[in-house]
Amino acid sequence: MAAPFRPPWFGHRGVQLLAGVAVAYNLGAIVLRLVDGDWGEAFLSFAWTVVFGYVLVESLRFRKQQDTGQDTAAD
């Protein structure tokens, strides 16, 4: 199975930090919007949480591959 293309900067700590902050922000937004009864906006915050959570997990995985020296390019 071919590995997906990821630019070299994808494993940068800054990407991980920004994705983590975005996840935390959107988790808080979900709670606040559910309390306010704004269900549509809460769902949108949930969707953003999923997207940024995926970016965070994949960035951590890519960083781990870079640190172990595995070749991530498809032959």
Side-chain angles (χ1 to χ4, degrees), residues 12-33:
H12 192 272
R13 299 281 185 215
V15 171
Q16 296 166 0
L17 177 67
L18 288 174
V21 167
V23 166
Y25 172 80
N26 282 299
L27 286 173
I30 290 171
V31 172
L32 292 175
R33 289 174 176 152

Side-chain angles (χ1 to χ4, degrees), residues 9-23 52 55-64 66-67:
W9 53 263
F10 191 70
H12 192 272
R13 299 281 185 215
V15 171
Q16 296 166 0
L17 177 67
L18 288 174
V21 167
V23 166
F52 287 118
V55 169
L56 178 61
V57 168
E58 286 300 313
S59 180
L60 290 168
R61 184 176 296 150
F62 185 56
R63 180 62 177 228
K64 185 176 178 182
Q66 284 179 327
D67 289 345

Side-chain angles (χ1 to χ4, degrees), residues 3-8 72:
F5 172 75
R6 295 179 186 111
T72 57

